[in-house]
Amino acid sequence: MVIVRQHGEAGQLFDISSFLADVDCFFRPEQWQISVESCLGSNALSIEEASFPGLCLSDAEFRSLYRGIYQTIDGRFCGFAKGQRLFEFVVVDSSYWEVTGPPAFEAHILATYGAWNR
């Protein structure tokens, strides 16, 4: 697992929408399991209510549902293919992301987004 910041040095926000291009370089998830406690953007309240106990979606359904969200404050996102977990993103208190996956993926995420410093 690596821990990366949610906010870059220039004030940019790193959220799931930022990570999708990275996911696409390494994986082809068939399914997402998400649980979102708090997020901001279009449809935020309905996403929180539907996903808080856990929600399984196809890749296309997830991307469509989450398209209008610009920030996740607390949530968990796991990608699966053939029943196997490929990766996991966990955002904590709009401060940092815990990212788990194969070593090459973790190294890429760390190099791209930078380590979180307490």
Side-chain angles (χ1 to χ4, degrees), residues 20 24 28-32 56-67 80:
L20 289 176
D24 291 343
R28 294 287 178 247
E30 298 167 353
Q31 184 179 48
W32 289 77
C56 293
L57 303 160
S58 72
D59 185 52
E61 290 169 330
F62 168 70
R63 290 172 192 248
S64 177
L65 177 70
Y66 226 72
R67 181 176 297 130
F80 291 84

Side-chain angles (χ1 to χ4, degrees), residues 11-60:
Q12 69 273 42
L13 180 65
F14 304 133
D15 207 78
I16 284 295
S17 60
S18 308
F19 301 134
L20 289 176
D22 304 294
V23 166
D24 291 343
C25 287
F26 285 83
F27 310 105
R28 294 287 178 247
E30 298 167 353
Q31 184 179 48
W32 289 77
Q33 287 183 349
I34 69 169
S35 175
V36 178
E37 184 176 331
S38 183
C39 62
L40 301 171
S42 177
N43 255 353
L45 183 58
S46 62
I47 290 170
E48 292 167 0
E49 290 172 349
S51 75
F52 184 70
L55 182 62
C56 293
L57 303 160
S58 72
D59 185 52

